[in-house]
Amino acid sequence: MALRYDFLNMMRNRVGAEGVSPEELQAVAGWLEASRRALADRKKAGELGFFDVPKRRPSREAMASVLRALDPEIDTLVVVGIGGSLLGTQAVYEALRGVDTLKRGARAMKLVFAGDATDPRAARDIFEQVDWNRAAINIVSKSGDTIEPMAIFTLLRHELVRAVGLEKASKRIIATTDAKKGTLHEIAAREKYATLPVPNNVGGRFSVFTEVGAFPLLAAGIDIDALWKGAAAEEADFWKMAPLKSAPMVYAALQWLLYRRGKTISVFMPYAKRLTLVGQWYRQLWAESLGKKTDRKRKRVDVGPTPVAAVGPADQHSQIQLYNEGPSDKIVTFVEVDDFDIDARLPEPWSDIEGVSYFSGHTLRKLVHAERQATAEALTDSRRPNGTLHMPDLTGRSLGALLQCLMMATAMAGELFDVDAFDQPGVEAGKKHMYRLLGRKGF
Ligand code: PA5
């Protein structure tokens, strides 16, 4: 069963003037159709590789042979990257680790993540977690030039060389980077690392299903075929469904319509702890893709919704006060997992005490669903638009569908906001300042 988007609480009949009317939604259907055609043309021209990745699939054999070549005693893969080169892998690993693993013959390495923090304590924490005699490094940088992962990589490589010697270390480092150019490409060639390509028509934040995410996830024993399958099915639906029946299209349309009415904050709030990092991944995707100074005609617009990552039920006791009663500038998107593969029934130790007995006998699944529903109802009562993305379960297939849905929604929102969703000049600007501050030639 595919991903389902319940947007009833975004509509006027539920939240009054704060919501969208069926007529308004109907009025953008033609625009959605035209936007989809524009995306299809760009995809055909080879510009938007992320659409095809799950269907095309990175070479599983190439990745498996890199894995096979690693010494059998290696049980930890230190994945070094930042932003789009790390967050997707972290999000999927966190969600599926131990849940959606390959049944037989899989090597299930522990993944340790680095490269997104440069403070000395964070570096020390990595050192303390890793036995360098049993570790390999996967350095991931599309440009091969990003200071944080590259700097941390030099430090980690140093430790690895110290533990096992230069020759062995070089056989334990895998570089995922541009196939033809860049600093990391050059280093990998010099030190004879195994390399995996980042397709040049897939941007960092859209690259989770490429070798960027697929290789470390495969190393961790995650069923990447299931991820690709779910994502490919979602992609196939995107092209054939009526715009107002398509989750990514309606999601983008509602976010855009309400942004123009002052709902400039987009809260993403899964009710599954293991999806917490999906929120972090979405935050980058939405922010970097849609936060732009100019539109596609280079007119100054200073546009972009602000994504906020929350998680339920924890943030009911932290954020919901603000969402319910603070400025009415937010759209809240919940993610609900309809069916967990496991459950637990709450015992009934004190049947005579009403304060606990009312929930005794219920399952945790019922509890978490009730919490999501109660929060949605409370927001709706306060006339705060909210919607829910329903995942049938917490499997690779459903997660693949969710991530692909959100990437396609982002591409569609780029069309509606009329910005280039695939560049990030604001990030590049910061990188240049950093190069200058640290004395890189030419900056
Ligand atoms: O989405 C993006 O393009 C960025 O977040 C990049 O992934 C991030 O800056 C890291 O870049 P790179 O992979 O070139 O090191």
Side-chain angles (χ1 to χ4, degrees):
M1 214 211 320
L3 199 73
R4 186 166 62 82
Y5 180 39
D6 173 355
F7 55 93
L8 290 176
N9 295 342
M10 303 278 279
M11 305 301 287
R12 250 182 206 185
N13 59 343
R14 294 279 175 97
V15 290
E18 300 290 310
V20 172
S21 68
E23 295 73 32
E24 279 175 290
L25 202 50
Q26 198 57 53
V28 292
W31 197 357
L32 289 172
E33 189 67 74
S35 299
R36 176 164 61 182
R37 275 198 301 275
L39 290 173
D41 289 345
R42 290 182 70 187
K43 172 174 111 81
K44 218 165 161 190
E47 283 174 44
L48 305 181
F50 87 92
F51 276 112
D52 294 323
V53 172
K55 188 167 56 209
R56 184 183 54 76
R57 298 183 176 198
S59 166
R60 213 176 177 296
E61 190 33 51
M63 295 189 292
S65 94
V66 171
L67 269 183
R68 275 195 303 270
L70 289 174
D71 289 334
E73 72 261 29
I74 292 172
D75 60 9
T76 303
L77 183 66
V78 185
V79 187
V80 189
I82 198 165
S85 287
L86 197 73
L87 281 166
T89 313
Q90 284 179 303
V92 175
Y93 182 61
E94 185 59 27
L96 300 181
R97 156 179 71 84
V99 174
D100 203 42
T101 46
L102 293 176
K103 302 288 174 285
R104 254 178 308 173
R107 240 175 125 163
M109 294 186 197
K110 178 177 140 193
L111 302 188
V112 171
F113 297 99
D116 58 344
T118 48
D119 65 278
R121 177 47 65 188
R124 173 64 63 83
D125 288 344
I126 306 285
F127 292 150
E128 284 174 1
Q129 278 181 68
V130 176
D131 171 357
W132 292 104
N133 289 301
R134 300 168 72 86
I137 298 176
N138 179 202
I139 165 74
V140 189
S141 176
K142 184 178 178 186
S143 63
D145 235 4
T146 309
I147 187 155
E148 295 84 2
M150 290 306 285
I152 296 300
F153 170 58
T154 62
L155 206 61
L156 301 181
R157 172 192 166 278
H158 186 74
E159 287 303 302
L160 185 61
V161 170
R162 212 155 65 173
V164 299
L166 182 60
E167 199 184 327
K168 224 171 175 185
S170 295
K171 294 199 174 88
R172 293 180 175 200
I173 297 175
I174 303 103
T176 309
T177 190
D178 189 282
K180 297 202 178 101
K181 58 178 192 310
T183 308
L184 180 55
H185 177 76
E186 190 185 331
I187 295 168
R190 181 184 301 183
E191 299 216 334
K192 299 195 173 49
Y193 301 155
T195 55
L196 292 166
V198 185
N200 56 21
N201 63 353
V202 182
R205 55 194 175 273
F206 292 87
S207 71
V208 56
F209 297 129
T210 70
E211 287 80 350
V212 167
F215 175 71
L217 292 169
L218 184 68
I222 304 277
D223 186 353
I224 54 168
D225 294 304
L227 275 171
W228 286 329
K229 220 180 210 167
E234 199 63 25
E235 192 255 354
D237 281 353
F238 177 78
W239 301 112
K240 56 178 194 252
M241 282 179 101
L244 298 186
K245 295 252 178 289
S246 152
M249 291 172 93
V250 175
Y251 184 89
L254 289 171
Q255 296 271 335
W256 174 71
L257 284 166
L258 289 176
Y259 175 89
R260 300 198 319 163
R261 285 211 231 124
K263 310 272 183 254
T264 58
I265 298 179
S266 172
V267 179
F268 187 83
M269 188 169 178
Y271 269 74
K273 189 165 183 169
R274 277 182 173 242
L275 297 179
T276 305
L277 294 182
V278 173
Q280 298 294 321
W281 170 86
Y282 169 79
R283 204 167 64 113
Q284 183 207 355
L285 181 70
W286 205 243
E288 276 192 359
S289 303
L290 303 177
K292 297 288 149 78
K293 184 160 76 180
T294 59
D295 68 10
R296 288 184 291 188
K297 289 183 209 76
R298 296 272 151 243
K299 193 176 127 223
R300 181 88 188 231
V301 285
D302 296 333
V303 79
T306 301
V308 169
V311 68
D315 283 330
Q316 280 175 219
H317 303 271
S318 159
Q319 299 294 296
I320 286 296
Q321 170 61 35
L322 174 72
Y323 302 168
N324 228 344
E325 294 191 357
S328 189
D329 54 2
K330 297 170 198 66
I331 304 163
V332 180
T333 302
F334 302 110
V335 179
E336 179 155 285
V337 177
D338 291 339
D339 205 357
F340 289 87
D341 60 333
I342 49 170
D343 206 353
R345 197 168 287 283
L346 295 166
E348 202 165 351
W350 307 289
S351 54
D352 57 329
I353 303 180
E354 173 54 24
V356 285
S357 65
Y358 72 96
F359 58 66
S360 308
H362 286 311
T363 61
L364 283 182
R365 188 179 81 150
K366 171 141 189 175
L367 178 62
V368 73
H369 285 175
E371 283 170 312
R372 201 274 318 152
Q373 192 180 333
T375 307
E377 285 176 6
L379 287 174
T380 306
D381 290 347
S382 305
R383 307 199 159 234
R384 309 290 163 122
N386 62 92
T388 302
L389 287 162
H390 286 269
M391 290 171 77
D393 46 31
L394 195 55
T395 59
R397 205 180 162 126
S398 299
L399 185 61
L402 177 71
L403 301 184
Q404 185 73 16
C405 168
L406 291 169
M407 289 191 279
M408 295 188 303
T410 305
M412 183 52 81
E415 295 294 309
L416 300 175
F417 280 94
D418 192 21
V419 295
D420 183 346
F422 302 97
D423 68 358
Q424 54 285 324
V427 180
E428 306 306 334
K431 286 187 185 178
K432 285 184 190 142
H433 280 285
M434 179 85 85
Y435 294 147
R436 180 180 51 77
L437 288 171
L438 292 173
R440 184 172 180 170
K441 279 200 191 114
F443 288 89

